[in-house]
């Protein structure tokens, strides 16, 4: 063997060894980054909030009710209750089972004389929450919230175009935010021409279908990890077990305040003419939607309450009964809206010569409506204490 051949073999061996060593070093570096990412353990404010043992996490979301959790009725039945209890104390965030709300004693209400010819109904304007600021930064930051989202952070070595973002796997709401070239966080849209060096990809922890499950979370994480690997980016995740516990806790809280109030106006002797109902509804500010029900909306277009057929069938020429529904956690300024809601229901029953009743056909009086109003205030205080304002972006997401 000549010196040239021997030298070539030595050089070739050195090159092969160098390539092998470089590959080993790359694999070791990425393994260390992945270990550091998955070992990240961040504190979560939700874990410090006591659980409200309303239902088991595995159960499907029950129909909302203001009654005790054990009764589980289909919908809250407003009725007059006169227990001899003290005034309701403010909600305290302490680890204790959910108790029945305290109700103040209600003085007897004198009977109201029948109205022969009611005067035309002139609705008073309802004060709703002020519109959200147009500041794009504040709006963008509201789309992701670490208290109700599992947020993965992606740090790329090269800019990632919005058009290259895939549809991440997630059975619940997924929101992607990107840090643009002018250092502003914005919602990532496929039609956008923006490019991002950092991304935040959030998966919502709970909604009205229940809490986020371990299988759903794993599928989401695998989807984000695959995307990051394809773009040679580094991704970090919150601690999964802590977030799953937070999802269960959040879902239990939401179930404890997820209340739908229904008031029914039933025909006495003959069905209500729908043309008469339409005029009364429109005079009160309700607008008929394409699916047929009437909606009372805020200035920003959010539904505050609805009017539909009692049996949930499409409205025709006549109706044997009407139902007004008030979705408690989705309404901002809820107490004042409820007052208008109850006032309109009473006016509707008088104008149509019908009877205002609950789902058990029990008549509703001023006193029983006032009792519901007090309990409604307790629910709203409970939501405020949790940091989820009624009718806010967070509430609309959780109770969707």
């Amino acid at each position: 063997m000549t010196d040239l051949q021997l030298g070539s073999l030595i050089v070739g061996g050195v090159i092969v060894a160098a390539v092998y060593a470089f590959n080993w070093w790359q694999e070791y570096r990425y393994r260390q980054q992945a270990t550091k990412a998955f070992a990240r353990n961040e504190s979560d404010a939700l874990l410090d909030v006591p659980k409200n043992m309303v239902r088991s996490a595995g159960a499907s979301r029950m129909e909302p009710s203001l009654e005790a959790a054990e009764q589980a009725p289909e919908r809250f039945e407003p009725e007059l209750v006169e227990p001899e209890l003290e005034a309701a104390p403010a909600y305290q965030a302490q680890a204790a089972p959910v108790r029945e709300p305290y109700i103040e004693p209600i003085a007897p209400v004198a009977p109201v004389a029948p109205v022969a010819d009611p005067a035309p109904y002139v609705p008073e304007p309802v004060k709703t929450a002020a519109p959200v600021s147009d500041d794009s930064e504040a709006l963008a930051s509201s789309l992701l919230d670490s208290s109700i989202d599992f947020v993965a952070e992606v740090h790329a070595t090269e800019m990632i175009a919005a058009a290259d973002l895939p549809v991440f796997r997630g059975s619940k709401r997924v929101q992607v935010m990107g840090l643009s070239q002018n250092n502003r966080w914005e919602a990532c849209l496929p039609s956008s021409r923006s490019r991002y060096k950092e991304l935040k990809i959030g998966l919502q922890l709970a909604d009205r279908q229940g809490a986020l499950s371990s299988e759903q979370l794993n599928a989401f994480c695998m989807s984000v990890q695959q995307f990051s690997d394809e773009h040679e980016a580094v991704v970090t995740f919150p601690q999964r077990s802590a977030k799953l516990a937070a999802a269960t806790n959040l879902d239990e809280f939401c179930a404890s305040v997820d209340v739908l109030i229904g008031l029914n106006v039933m025909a006495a002797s003959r069905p209500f003419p729908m043309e008469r109902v339409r005029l009364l509804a429109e005079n009160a500010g309700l607008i008929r939607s394409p699916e047929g029900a009437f909606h009372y909306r805020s200035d920003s277009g959010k539904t505050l309450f609805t009017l539909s057929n009692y049996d949930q069938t499409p409205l025709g020429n006549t109706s044997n009964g009407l139902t007004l529904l008030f979705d408690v956690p989705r309404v901002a300024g809820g107490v004042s809206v409820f007052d208008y809601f109850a006032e309109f229901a009473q006016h509707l029953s008088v104008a149509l010569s019908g009877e205002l009743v609950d789902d058990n056909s029990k008549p509703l009086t001023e006193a029983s409506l006032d009792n519901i109003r007090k309990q409604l205030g307790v629910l709203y205080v409970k939501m405020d204490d949790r940091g989820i304002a009624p009718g806010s972006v967070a509430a609309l997401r959780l109770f969707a």
Side-chain angles (χ1 to χ4, degrees), residues 32 144 173 176 364:
Q32 290 294 103
L144 275 184
R173 174 186 178 274
V176 183
L364 294 172

Side-chain angles (χ1 to χ4, degrees), residues 112-119 121 263-273 276-281 284 305 307 319-324 340-358 362-366 368-369:
V112 180
V115 179
D117 186 14
Y121 182 64
L263 304 180
N264 305 305
V265 180
M266 305 303 296
S269 56
R270 55 183 181 179
F272 302 138
R276 174 67 171 157
V277 173
R278 182 187 66 80
L279 291 174
L280 291 169
F305 63 83
L307 172 66
S319 176
N320 291 318
L322 301 168
T323 294
L324 292 98
Y340 185 77
F341 167 78
E343 181 185 354
F344 173 63
Q346 291 173 304
H347 169 75
L348 201 62
S349 65
V350 172
L352 295 174
S353 299
E355 187 177 12
L356 185 62
V357 298
D358 61 19
K362 295 180 180 179
L364 294 172
T365 65
E366 286 280 0
S368 57
L369 292 173

Side-chain angles (χ1 to χ4, degrees), residues 75-320:
R75 195 177 67 202
F76 169 61
E77 297 300 332
E79 57 181 318
L80 177 60
V81 180
E82 295 183 315
E84 296 182 358
L85 299 174
E86 297 179 356
Y91 172 79
Q92 298 179 352
Q94 59 184 10
V98 174
R99 300 181 298 174
E100 286 285 331
Y102 291 95
I103 308 298
E104 295 181 355
I106 302 173
V109 178
V112 180
V115 179
D117 186 14
Y121 182 64
V122 180
E124 295 183 2
V126 176
K127 294 182 180 179
T128 57
V132 179
S133 170
D134 292 333
D135 184 75
S136 59
E137 193 79 10
L139 179 61
S141 62
S142 68
L143 297 177
L144 275 184
D145 185 341
S146 61
S147 66
I148 62 176
D149 293 303
F150 180 92
V151 182
E153 298 181 1
V154 177
H155 303 269
T157 56
E158 300 292 338
M159 303 294 284
I160 300 176
D164 294 338
L165 295 175
V167 177
F168 295 98
R169 291 195 298 269
S171 58
K172 301 190 181 300
R173 174 186 178 274
V174 175
Q175 178 66 54
V176 183
M177 306 293 296
L179 185 62
S180 64
Q181 293 173 324
N182 57 358
N183 288 326
R184 289 173 62 88
W185 287 99
E186 62 183 31
C188 299
L189 303 174
S191 58
S192 172
R193 296 183 179 180
S194 298
R195 300 173 67 84
Y196 312 105
K197 193 169 184 178
E198 294 184 24
L199 297 170
K200 291 183 179 181
I201 308 170
L203 177 66
Q204 192 163 306
L205 296 178
D207 54 25
R208 274 180 166 162
Q209 280 67 53
L212 181 69
S213 69
S214 177
E215 293 76 12
Q216 294 168 340
L217 180 57
N218 289 337
F220 170 76
C221 290
M222 289 176 61
S223 178
V224 175
Q225 185 68 59
Q226 181 180 355
F227 166 78
S228 300
D229 293 342
E230 291 172 354
H231 290 79
E232 298 183 354
V234 178
V235 59
T236 59
F237 299 97
Q239 189 181 48
R240 300 192 195 187
S241 59
K243 281 296 185 181
L244 288 172
T248 301
N249 178 268
L250 178 63
D251 183 55
E252 290 174 351
F253 168 78
C254 289
S256 72
V257 298
D258 196 356
V259 175
L260 184 68
I261 298 177
L263 304 180
N264 305 305
V265 180
M266 305 303 296
S269 56
R270 55 183 181 179
F272 302 138
M274 193 49 58
E275 182 61 22
R276 174 67 171 157
V277 173
R278 182 187 66 80
L279 291 174
L280 291 169
E282 291 179 351
N283 287 341
L286 281 75
I287 300 175
R288 191 164 186 174
S289 62
E291 70 270 14
F294 290 91
H295 290 247
Y296 185 74
R297 303 182 187 275
S298 65
D299 293 339
S300 60
K302 297 177 182 177
T303 296
L304 301 179
F305 63 83
T306 62
L307 172 66
S308 59
N309 250 341
Y310 173 76
D311 56 7
Q312 302 303 310
T313 58
L315 294 171
N317 295 327
T318 60
S319 176
N320 291 318

Side-chain angles (χ1 to χ4, degrees), residues 42-50 145-148 242-243 246 249 386:
E42 297 181 348
S43 60
D44 197 314
L46 286 178
L47 298 180
D48 298 329
V49 180
D145 185 341
S146 61
S147 66
I148 62 176
K243 281 296 185 181
N249 178 268
R386 180 76 180 214

